[in-house]
Amino acid sequence: MILAQLPRFHLSILAKPSFALSSSHFNFLNPKPSVTVARALFSFASKSSLATVEPIPLSVSDSSDLDDAPVEISLDKLFIPPETDISGEDPASLTTRILKGSNIVLSKYARDAQVVQADYVKSSVKTEDCPADGLPEFALVGRSNVGKSSLLNSLVRRKRLALTSKKPGKTQCINHFRINDKWYLVDLPGYGYASAPHELKQDWNKFTKDYFLNRSTLVSVFLLVDASIPVKPIDLEYASWLGQNQVPMTLIFTKCDKRKKKKNGGKKPEENIKEFQDLIQGFFETTPPWIMTSSVTNQGRDEILLHMAQLRNYWLKH
Ligand code: GDP
């Protein structure tokens, strides 16, 4: 079994106690905020876990490339998947179910997470033109250069699949990739191009906003935020818009491998992440799920797939 370790940071994440999503999505449980998870020591074996159907084996890390500082996430800042009863659960045992580098608790719905097949399906210019087969989907969106293509390629373990979305004519499209013939990963246009005229940026906003509000099979938006640089106002705007419109959102912090201080305004990814979370907390009733990732080290890859699996399996059941 592969041994790994949870990340090296103290985070007191978001504060508000109930993130009310639209009724077609989750009604998140609202755990009592009294207990602090002192150390989340466990993680999931990176290869075997995704193939596992029922309880996923946990293992204690002895990895030495990360610091051994405790992770502090109070219970009200965890993402508890629906139908996951943690009342009466020993906090110490709950820590074994927190996905590594995230605030997400593993639930019974975390199965069939592995990607065995990924196919580009189509590029659409309108929500109505998107595939109509009713399969659940997850949309990846983020500022240009945030690492969206790299993440998509890493999720499907294909070096160049996301290149399809970068081909001329497709960068402003809704690009659908079918996974295992069962669900979709959707690559949305990047936003915030420095060189784009203001009006064009507005158009992109309208384009993706329509998709967020009207795509009935959208299970969750995955908003990518570059953790290696200081917080960008445009990312805050995006997150707050999703929160205010009750569009289910998961925050994916990218480039968490970048640890050099100089270029990043002196801040570590963990500090940028904390700042981002502090700044958006007013827009959410409960803490949105978040995951730290790196497409260089594949950090967070399995955690994203497990998270998607539990959201998807719950969505399919309801
Ligand atoms: P996109 O424009 O959002 O699709 O971003 P890309 O995936 O093309 O990545 C933009 C740049 O960031 C490229 O130079 C990538 O090599 C780099 N990059 C992407 N992900 C990571 C990451 O996790 N860590 C590091 N260090 N660099 C990354």
Side-chain angles (χ1 to χ4, degrees):
M1 189 176 295
I2 296 169
L3 300 178
Q5 188 176 42
L6 276 164
R8 46 177 171 177
F9 62 101
H10 293 258
L11 283 181
S12 53
I13 321 290
L14 303 175
K16 301 278 162 147
S18 72
F19 178 37
L21 296 172
S22 57
S23 55
S24 60
H25 295 94
F26 291 166
N27 282 319
F28 300 151
L29 297 182
N30 184 12
K32 295 269 183 301
S34 55
V35 187
T36 295
V37 177
R39 291 197 71 190
L41 283 172
F42 299 89
S43 67
F44 300 93
S46 66
K47 280 191 180 153
S48 60
S49 63
L50 294 181
T52 309
V53 173
E54 273 316 314
I56 292 170
L58 306 175
S59 58
V60 182
S61 169
D62 64 358
S63 162
S64 55
D65 60 337
L66 296 172
D67 291 343
D68 197 21
V71 175
E72 290 184 0
I73 306 174
S74 64
L75 285 186
D76 66 325
K77 289 160 189 163
L78 289 175
F79 171 77
I80 314 290
E83 296 181 11
T84 306
D85 185 9
I86 61 158
S87 61
E89 194 159 337
D90 175 7
S93 77
L94 186 61
T95 62
T96 65
R97 291 168 48 201
I98 301 171
L99 292 174
K100 189 173 69 163
S102 85
N103 66 335
I104 299 166
V105 173
L106 192 74
S107 79
K108 63 180 180 179
Y109 288 107
R111 54 181 185 271
D112 301 329
Q114 201 160 39
V115 173
V116 289
Q117 194 187 340
D119 303 295
Y120 166 71
V121 177
K122 73 180 290 195
S123 299
S124 315
V125 290
K126 288 187 292 203
T127 312
E128 306 88 85
D129 298 338
C130 292
D133 51 18
L135 295 177
E137 65 192 39
F138 300 94
L140 305 181
V141 70
R143 218 165 31 78
S144 167
N145 215 40
V146 70
K148 185 158 55 71
S149 308
S150 307
L151 184 79
L152 203 153
N153 288 333
S154 146
L155 288 175
V156 300
R157 291 193 198 273
R158 294 254 297 272
K159 280 193 182 143
R160 302 167 69 81
L161 190 72
L163 270 185
T164 316
S165 317
K166 290 204 164 179
K167 285 187 181 155
K170 293 186 176 162
T171 53
Q172 292 179 51
C173 288
I174 305 168
N175 296 298
H176 274 79
F177 297 89
R178 193 168 48 230
I179 310 298
N180 304 345
D181 280 331
K182 285 189 175 157
W183 54 282
Y184 290 108
L185 272 173
V186 181
D187 193 2
L188 293 177
Y191 58 81
Y193 287 91
S195 55
H198 184 65
E199 282 155 39
L200 190 53
K201 280 192 213 169
Q202 291 301 318
D203 276 353
W204 291 344
N205 280 342
K206 261 190 241 153
F207 173 90
T208 42
K209 280 176 183 173
D210 178 71
Y211 168 85
F212 294 145
L213 296 174
N214 297 312
R215 182 67 172 159
S216 60
T217 50
L218 176 63
V219 179
S220 179
V221 175
F222 279 54
L223 176 62
L224 276 59
V225 175
D226 188 339
S228 72
I229 56 172
V231 173
K232 295 265 185 197
I234 194 164
D235 291 332
L236 293 173
E237 275 171 37
Y238 229 92
S240 63
W241 186 90
L242 291 169
Q244 283 169 330
N245 286 279
Q246 302 198 333
V247 178
M249 178 191 77
T250 296
L251 283 169
I252 302 295
F253 292 106
T254 64
K255 307 190 187 181
C256 291
D257 60 286
K258 283 185 147 185
R259 306 215 149 258
K260 283 186 192 124
K261 283 192 163 191
K262 245 201 237 158
K263 269 191 175 175
N264 309 335
K267 292 201 173 142
K268 292 180 180 175
E270 291 82 354
E271 293 169 298
N272 291 325
I273 290 171
K274 164 102 171 62
E275 195 177 333
F276 190 89
Q277 290 170 323
D278 286 347
L279 287 166
I280 64 160
Q281 65 176 305
F283 299 105
F284 295 88
E285 292 176 23
T286 49
T287 307
W290 54 266
I291 306 177
M292 295 173 70
T293 71
S294 161
S295 298
V296 171
T297 65
N298 278 332
Q299 177 188 359
R301 176 189 180 274
D302 291 353
E303 289 71 20
I304 289 178
L305 292 175
L306 283 164
H307 176 56
M308 285 178 171
Q310 52 187 17
L311 294 179
R312 199 173 61 238
N313 289 323
Y314 178 85
W315 187 90
L316 285 167
K317 204 184 154 206
H318 292 85

